Amino acid sequence: MDIVSLGFYAMVCGLLGLAGPKLGRAPMRLAIGAVVGVVAVTLLPVMRGALGLDGYVMALP
C-alpha cells in the first residue's frame, strides 16, 4: 500500500473512531463503518486524480 492510500484510510478510520461511541449500538456502528469504507474506496481514486497523484507509488528498497 502506498503512502497516499495509507494516510487516507488512517484519516477516515480515525475520524470514524472519534464518532464511534456516539453512533449507537454495535450493529449500527458496523453498518456505518461499512458504508464509510465503501465511500472511502470510491472517493480515493477521484481525490488522487484531483491532487495530481495518479501515477504516484511508494518505492520500497
Side-chain angles (χ1 to χ4, degrees):
M1 179 178 287
D2 65 279
I3 194 74
V4 174
S5 298
L6 184 63
F8 178 75
Y9 290 117
M11 181 183 65
V12 169
C13 292
L15 291 173
L16 188 59
L18 279 175
K22 300 173 191 168
L23 296 176
R25 300 182 64 89
M28 179 59 77
R29 289 194 312 263
L30 179 63
I32 291 170
V35 169
V36 168
V38 169
V39 170
V41 165
T42 304
L43 288 179
L44 181 58
V46 175
M47 292 177 66
R48 287 179 73 108
L51 295 172
L53 300 172
D54 282 337
Y56 175 79
V57 280
M58 187 172 131
L60 298 174

